[in-house]
């Protein structure tokens, strides 16, 4: 018997499939999908069994599989199928996809010792009668106490061994019993109450055919009750004896959704997200593998949850960029969802108030089925949005807060209502500059300026984490006339504390790096321990606080100034999302957006809550510029530590693409990537735009293969990139 084993080999995660002999002692045990240890280059490494055969055609000498790592296979048939299909779509190594599907504890060769945690109990090993007899004869009160307790209690948790326990074990009066422990315990506030769906929600629910695969787009304004619709559909699916996946952008940012699911569905739910430790993830994952749960709520990688008999897959906030993994394997959860939906013949439901242009265009063409919810379910109204032109404010000396926003904050504070302020940049200020010579403090490894963090008095690189402490002299001219420019959340917090007599809390990557801090801040703000919540875009999503009546966007242009074809879309989405946080109850909500480009259509139309108009405007631009959804894009990234070699190879690749792809396909570049140097590595890119090119896969695979053995240049291929 022979097994084909795939291993991860080398830093470039090259796929290597090798045939090994299955030794006699493993013949009954081993199955396709098992994780095994095999000898490779004089070492034992882990891999996955992809195939098992009785015969092996070739003649050369084979090695034996050393051992099987787990009782059951960790890769099931569906995962094998997904591995093959995803590889075709995104051209990455198959092993990388399998590794991405599994929690750390089950990946191959990651040398973890994440095991199952067990609690140790003691129980009687004899009849009650024999135990009573023992008690009568026993002269040791410690032993007697234990036995008496066991007669009434069945079992006792033992954390440390006493001599009484040891003696009773030795005398075989009691025995040990071990039970698996779940290290993750989801907690709920219990605040969620199930509602009765309104007619529009009912219509959406009944429009989804649970008995066959189709992809639906639910376009529903913020607060229109999409989440209630998801839960209703999932409820139906469960009662049909099936299972469901519910994806949310990043759970640690949306604890309120988890709360609703756990309250409604109890221990039928498993939670998978990055806020869990690897131990907790393993425990949650095993619950899914063992068929103990019916619903998986999780972030991107939860799309691979090994549920059987899936009845629906829901992706909330489907436009969110985090659904695409931005390193290898660069898969998009939406595409995986559709593959799995087809496999299980189950519907996939994408939901958003601001769908991605791609999805909305597909729904318009009938590729997806369009469902809509046009009104807020709780009866609330979409908030009134005011645009403030900061060019005028700056003339009056208002650099951070406009007069209108300051007045409004005071007004809300006086009424004891809550306020959310968005500023999409963390740190204190964006750069430190010398006033005498104009020198900007930059990262020595990257192509960008360092961000000043006042609390730690450091200047940090947000790309490579380089930091320097306490710069008060210009390194170029020695002057100490240093000035910081640009506004970050840390400085905004400081300013707010000076101006307002209010309880203020900041939420960004710096204040939430400790586990559980997100949840804590959200819970405390929800309990009105704070009046003002300020933060980066992580505050924009999914939060539902009835007392929030004012949302302020400090600088709406930040995302607009990013050089990327999606910048208008991202801006529109972010402004709509954050506006949606206001006025979600009976209290009327207001939004104030500060901008230096208030006439930009993405900002104007966000003010009017006019997604459809935005869609039309943006589609015109995409059409003229040959961008998605009119054209597909694939990016070839060429990186090298050597500027010259990178440049030379990038040109070769560019020429090769131009000469070999279909003549209707457009190849742009090679050019320098937006941030050209990151961590001393130079980034070049070629952009390929196409509608249909049946040579593309083959050509890209060829290039990829060619450079796998090149250790001066790295190639990565990004199909449908999020940023260009
Ligand atoms: P979305 O996911 O579209 O933002 P939610 O499902 O979170 O909307 O609903 C927004 C608010 O409206 C929530 O507070 C929710 O409890 C409430 N809600 C939803 N559906 C109904 C309904 N049918 N009747 C009353 N309130 C509802
Ligand atoms: Zn200087
Ligand atoms: Zn850097």
């Amino acid at each position: 018997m022979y097994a084909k084993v795939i291993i991860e080999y080398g830093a470039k995660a090259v796929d290597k499939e090798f045939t090994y002999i299955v030794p006699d002692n493993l013949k009954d045990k081993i199955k396709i999908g098992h994780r095994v240890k095999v000898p490779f280059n004089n070492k034992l490494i882990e891999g996955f069994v992809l195939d098992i055969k009785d015969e092996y055609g070739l003649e050369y000498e084979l090695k034996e599989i050393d051992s099987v790592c787990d009782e059951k296979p960790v890769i099931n048939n569906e995962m094998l199928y997904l591995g093959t299909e995803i590889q075709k779509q995104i051209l990455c190594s198959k092993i990388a996809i399998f590794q991405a599907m599994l929690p750390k504890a089950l990946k191959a060769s990651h040398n973890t010792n994440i095991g199952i945690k067990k609690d140790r109990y003691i129980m009687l090993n004899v009849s009650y009668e024999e135990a009573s007899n023992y008690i009568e004869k026993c002269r040791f009160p410690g032993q007697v106490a234990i036995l008496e307790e066991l007669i009434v209690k069945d079992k006792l948790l033992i954390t440390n061994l006493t001599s009484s326990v040891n003696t009773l074990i030795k005398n075989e009066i009691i025995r040990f019993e071990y039970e698996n422990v779940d290290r993750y315990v989801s907690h709920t506030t219990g605040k969620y109450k199930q509602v009765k769906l309104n007619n529009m929600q009912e219509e959406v629910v009944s429009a989804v055919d649970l008995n066959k695969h189709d992809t639906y787009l639910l376009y529903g304004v913020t607060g229109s009750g999409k989440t209630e619709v998801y839960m209703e559909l999932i409820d139906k699916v469960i009662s049909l004896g099936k299972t469901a996946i519910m994806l949310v952008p990043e759970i640690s940012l949306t604890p309120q959704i988890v709360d609703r699911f756990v309250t409604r569905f109890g221990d039928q739910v498993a939670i998978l997200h990055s806020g869990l430790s690897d131990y907790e993830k393993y425990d949650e994952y095993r619950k899914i593998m063992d068929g103990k749960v019916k619903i998986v709520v999780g972030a991107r990688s939860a799309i691979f949850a090994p549920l059987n008999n899936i009845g629906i897959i829901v992706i909330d906030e489907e436009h969110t960029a985090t659904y695409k993994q931005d390193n290898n394997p660069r898969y998009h959860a939406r595409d995986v969802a559709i593959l799995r939906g087809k496999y299980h013949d189950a519907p996939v439901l994408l939901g958003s108030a601001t769908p991605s242009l791609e999805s909305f265009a597909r729904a318009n063409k009938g590729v997806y089925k369009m469902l809509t919810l046009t009104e807020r379910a709780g009866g609330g109204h979409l908030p009134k949005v005011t645009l403030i032109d900061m060019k005028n404010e700056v003339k009056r000396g208002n650099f951070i807060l406009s007069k209108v926003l300051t007045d409004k904050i005071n007004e809300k504070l006086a009424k004891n209502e809550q306020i959310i302020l968005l500023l999409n940049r963390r740190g204190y200020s964006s750069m430190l500059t010398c006033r005498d010579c104009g020198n900007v403090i930059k990262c020595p490894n990257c192509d960008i300026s360092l961000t000043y963090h006042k609390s730690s008095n450091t200047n940090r690189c947000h790309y490579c984490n380089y930091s320097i402490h306490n710069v008060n002299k210009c390194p170029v001219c020695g002057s100490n006339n240093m000035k910081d420019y640009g506004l970050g959340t840390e400085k905004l917090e400081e300013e707010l504390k000076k101006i307002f007599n209010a309880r203020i809390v900041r939420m960004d990557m710096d204040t939430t790096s400790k586990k559980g801090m997100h949840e804590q801040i959200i819970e405390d703000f929800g309990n009105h321990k704070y009046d003002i919540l300020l933060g980066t875009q992580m505050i924009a999503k999914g939060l539902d606080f009835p007392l929030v009546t004012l949302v302020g966007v400090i600088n709406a242009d930040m995302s607009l100034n990013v050089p990327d074809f999606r910048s208008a879309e991202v801006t529109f989405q972010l402004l709509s999302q954050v506006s949606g946080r206001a006025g979600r109850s009976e209290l009327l909500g207001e939004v104030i957006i500060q901008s230096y480009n208030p006439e930009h259509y993405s900002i104007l139309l966000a003010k009017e809550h006019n997604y459809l108009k935005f869609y039309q405007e943006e589609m015109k631009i995409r059409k003229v510029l040959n961008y998605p959804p009119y054209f597909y894009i694939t990016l070839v990234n060429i990186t090298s530590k050597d500027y010259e070699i990178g440049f030379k190879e990038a040109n070769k690749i560019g020429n090769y693409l131009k000469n070999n792809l279909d003549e209707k396909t457009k190849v742009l570049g090679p050019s320098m990537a937006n941030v050209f140097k990151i961590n001393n590595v130079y980034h070049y890119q070629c952009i390929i735009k196409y509608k249909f090119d049946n040579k593309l896969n083959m050509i890209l695979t060829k290039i990829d293969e060619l450079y796998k053995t090149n250790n001066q240049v790295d190639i990565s291929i990004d199909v449908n990139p999020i940023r260009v």
Side-chain angles (χ1 to χ4, degrees):
M1 201 160 136
Y2 301 91
K4 200 161 89 182
V5 178
I6 189 170
I7 59 168
E8 190 175 51
Y9 179 62
K12 294 193 180 182
V14 176
D15 272 342
K16 290 266 176 178
E17 292 179 24
F18 294 100
T19 304
Y20 286 89
I21 298 168
V22 180
D24 285 341
N25 64 327
L26 295 181
K27 275 187 178 150
D28 296 332
K29 218 172 164 185
I30 204 163
K31 294 201 184 65
I32 292 176
H34 252 129
R35 182 166 62 152
V36 291
K37 278 199 168 66
V38 293
F40 187 82
N41 272 354
N42 299 320
K43 272 193 304 198
L44 277 186
I45 64 168
E46 289 176 0
F48 302 109
V49 176
L50 290 192
D51 202 4
I52 295 178
K53 283 205 171 76
D54 286 332
E55 290 301 320
Y56 178 68
L58 298 172
E59 293 277 300
Y60 46 88
E61 214 178 309
L62 295 177
K63 293 194 172 122
E64 282 191 357
I65 288 183
D66 175 76
S67 54
V68 174
C69 303
D70 317 272
E71 213 173 292
K72 284 188 261 176
V74 295
I75 296 180
N76 64 25
N77 281 341
E78 186 190 0
M79 289 155 96
L80 284 172
Y81 163 80
L82 290 175
T84 311
E85 293 302 309
I86 295 169
Q87 183 182 39
K88 275 189 227 157
Q89 287 183 357
I90 64 172
L91 304 171
C92 70
S93 68
K94 213 184 230 180
I95 185 79
I97 304 173
F98 291 136
Q99 298 282 50
M101 290 179 185
L102 296 165
K104 192 164 180 204
L106 298 176
K107 290 185 204 290
S109 285
H110 277 239
N111 291 329
T112 60
N113 45 8
I114 302 168
I116 298 172
K117 185 180 174 205
K118 292 175 190 275
D119 274 345
R120 182 167 54 187
Y121 293 87
I122 50 173
M123 2 190 13
L124 283 181
N125 194 36
V126 295
S127 67
Y128 288 123
E129 213 181 329
E130 283 169 273
S132 309
N133 290 340
Y134 187 92
I135 291 173
E136 268 171 38
K137 286 181 215 141
C138 181
R139 291 179 294 114
F140 302 100
Q143 293 184 32
V144 171
I146 291 171
L147 290 178
E148 281 179 341
E149 217 177 330
L150 278 178
I151 286 173
V152 276
K153 259 194 187 157
D154 264 16
K155 64 179 182 186
L156 289 176
L157 181 65
I158 295 293
T159 40
N160 30 8
L161 282 180
T162 60
S163 61
S164 308
V165 170
N166 277 330
T167 312
L168 287 169
I169 291 278
K170 212 173 70 203
N171 293 340
E172 297 183 354
I173 305 297
I174 61 171
R175 65 183 143 86
F176 288 127
E177 182 92 358
Y178 294 88
E179 266 180 34
N180 293 354
V181 185
D182 284 336
R183 278 162 286 206
Y184 176 67
V185 183
S186 51
H187 76 289
T188 80
T189 58
K191 276 186 189 155
Y192 166 73
K193 298 227 164 28
Q194 195 175 333
V195 297
K196 190 179 172 317
L197 297 190
N198 62 36
N199 290 343
M200 289 173 300
Q201 288 168 312
E202 286 290 356
E203 245 171 67
V204 170
V205 167
S206 53
V208 177
D209 185 346
L210 295 175
N211 295 309
K212 70 185 221 306
H213 170 69
D214 258 316
T215 302
Y216 299 84
L217 175 67
L218 172 54
Y219 158 54
V221 299
T222 52
S224 59
K226 295 186 289 297
T227 311
E228 291 297 329
V229 167
Y230 307 149
M231 288 196 285
E232 188 63 26
L233 283 163
I234 289 172
D235 211 337
K236 284 188 163 189
V237 159
I238 304 300
S239 57
L240 293 170
K242 298 184 189 176
T243 62
I245 296 179
M246 171 79 215
L247 287 194
V248 293
E250 177 46 73
I251 299 207
S252 53
L253 311 185
T254 47
Q256 290 178 327
I257 289 214
V258 175
D259 195 36
R260 284 160 84 171
F261 271 81
V262 174
T263 310
R264 177 146 168 190
F265 298 106
D267 54 14
Q268 300 185 87
V269 182
I271 311 286
L272 287 178
H273 69 89
S274 58
L276 268 52
S277 72
D278 288 321
Y279 297 92
E280 293 171 328
K281 273 184 206 155
Y282 182 41
D283 289 351
E284 290 295 285
Y285 193 85
R286 275 187 302 113
K287 276 197 229 163
I288 304 166
M289 275 207 315
D290 297 344
K292 289 193 180 134
V293 294
K294 300 219 155 66
I295 305 166
V296 174
V297 180
R300 179 182 61 233
S301 65
I303 194 58
F304 293 115
L307 286 169
N308 291 317
N309 201 10
I310 291 176
I312 192 167
I313 300 174
V314 180
I315 303 186
D316 189 29
E317 314 278 14
E318 68 88 32
H319 61 277
T320 312
T322 54
Y323 285 128
K324 164 116 189 209
Q325 179 152 305
D326 65 4
N327 50 30
N328 189 33
R330 297 171 199 275
Y331 68 92
H332 198 302
R334 195 197 295 139
D335 300 328
V336 181
I338 292 172
L339 283 173
R340 295 196 77 179
K342 285 181 182 153
Y343 187 91
H344 291 274
D345 205 15
V348 171
L349 176 61
L350 313 173
S352 175
T354 51
S356 64
L357 257 69
E358 282 95 330
S359 292
F360 202 78
R362 278 184 201 139
N364 258 348
K365 273 172 69 181
V367 180
Y368 298 163
K369 299 204 161 155
M370 180 86 84
L371 307 166
T372 48
L373 287 173
T374 50
E375 277 163 37
R376 285 202 153 178
H381 293 282
L382 285 172
K384 176 172 165 275
V385 182
T386 310
L387 286 183
I388 306 290
D389 189 340
M390 284 305 280
K391 294 194 288 288
N392 300 331
E393 293 291 322
V394 166
K395 285 179 207 151
R396 291 183 209 136
N398 301 329
F399 291 98
I400 299 178
L401 296 182
S402 58
K403 172 128 193 351
V404 178
L405 185 53
T406 310
D407 291 349
K408 272 288 170 210
I409 293 175
N410 277 321
E411 182 190 318
K412 301 295 176 187
L413 289 173
K415 284 201 239 166
N416 211 15
E417 293 170 359
Q418 288 179 296
I419 299 141
I420 288 180
L421 297 177
L422 171 79
L423 176 65
N424 213 356
R425 179 184 280 146
R426 70 193 169 96
Y428 189 81
S429 53
S430 48
M431 60 172 83
L432 204 55
T433 306
C434 169
R435 278 184 163 169
D436 289 336
C437 77
N439 173 42
V440 176
I441 307 288
K442 280 192 155 188
C443 177
N445 310 320
C446 308
D447 223 9
I448 57 166
S449 55
L450 297 177
T451 300
Y452 180 51
H453 289 253
K454 191 173 184 183
S455 59
S456 53
N457 194 13
T458 50
N459 290 274
R460 267 186 251 159
C461 172
H462 287 183
Y463 278 82
C464 74
N465 253 340
Y466 168 87
S467 74
I468 35 173
H469 203 66
N470 205 7
V471 187
N472 36 32
K473 267 205 174 85
C474 172
V476 173
C477 74
S479 152
N480 49 17
N481 197 2
M482 302 296 285
K483 163 90 180 139
D484 60 281
Y485 287 97
L487 178 66
T489 44
E490 203 185 332
K491 186 166 174 181
L492 176 64
E493 184 185 15
E494 192 181 280
E495 290 294 317
L496 292 171
K497 282 184 172 156
K498 278 187 216 155
I499 306 173
F500 303 106
N501 179 20
R503 299 164 302 168
I504 298 171
V505 63
R506 165 161 66 100
M507 188 158 94
D508 57 25
M509 251 157 73
D510 299 316
T511 62
T512 55
S513 53
K514 267 215 319 259
K515 190 167 186 273
M517 275 312 286
H518 272 298
E519 289 84 346
Q520 193 60 51
I521 293 174
I522 288 163
E523 197 178 317
D524 288 347
F525 188 65
N527 291 328
H528 207 168
K529 286 192 185 155
Y530 298 103
D531 306 301
I532 303 179
L533 169 67
L534 76 121
T536 51
Q537 92 275 0
M538 64 170 71
I539 62 169
K541 292 197 179 98
L543 302 181
D544 192 352
F545 302 110
L547 272 182
V548 172
T549 53
L550 175 64
V551 167
V553 178
I554 304 301
N555 183 351
D557 313 309
M558 221 156 248
S559 51
L560 208 53
N561 294 334
V562 177
D564 172 36
F565 79 93
R566 270 187 246 266
S567 65
E569 184 180 352
V570 169
T571 302
F572 181 85
Q573 286 163 344
L574 182 62
L575 295 179
S576 306
Q577 285 283 319
V578 72
S579 304
R581 300 310 114 213
R584 291 174 72 90
S585 62
E586 315 77 52
L587 299 173
L588 202 65
E590 284 177 80
V591 179
I592 293 173
I593 298 177
Q594 304 188 152
S595 165
Y596 289 89
N597 304 286
E599 52 304 304
H600 192 278
Y601 65 101
S602 66
I603 295 176
L604 272 179
L605 293 170
K607 166 190 153 73
E608 290 167 17
H609 308 290
N610 196 341
Y611 174 80
L612 292 178
K613 185 80 192 296
F614 173 77
Y615 171 79
Q616 287 158 2
E617 290 295 314
E618 183 67 11
M619 284 295 270
K620 283 185 212 154
I621 296 171
R622 300 286 179 91
K623 187 168 186 180
V624 173
L625 298 177
N626 299 330
Y627 274 123
Y630 290 98
F631 275 73
Y632 291 107
I633 289 187
T634 289
L635 209 59
V636 181
N637 293 300
I638 303 115
T639 51
S640 177
K641 284 197 168 141
D642 187 302
Y643 180 96
E644 295 288 338
I645 294 176
F647 182 72
K648 207 177 90 207
E649 298 300 321
N651 270 310
K652 267 199 223 162
I653 291 170
N655 287 334
Y656 186 74
L657 292 169
K658 282 172 196 158
N659 294 334
N660 288 282
L661 290 174
D662 193 286
E663 56 189 33
K664 285 203 204 108
T665 298
K666 301 173 206 310
V667 178
L668 310 180
S671 59
M672 294 171 176
N674 279 340
V675 182
F676 178 49
K677 186 173 127 195
I678 302 176
N679 222 349
N680 291 315
V681 172
Y682 298 93
H683 290 244
Y684 298 86
Q685 62 184 23
C686 291
I687 300 171
I688 308 169
K689 293 179 175 178
Y690 54 102
K691 284 201 166 167
F692 177 78
D693 190 332
N694 58 8
K695 280 187 265 179
L696 185 62
N697 256 1
M698 193 251 306
I699 299 283
L700 291 175
T701 308
K702 228 180 195 169
I703 294 176
D704 197 37
E705 284 297 319
L706 205 65
Y707 280 90
K708 266 176 185 164
T709 46
N710 185 326
N711 46 27
Q712 287 180 306
V713 179
D714 276 322
I715 301 293
S716 75
I717 292 166
D718 192 349
V719 181
N720 303 323
I722 292 294
R723 274 170 288 275
V724 171

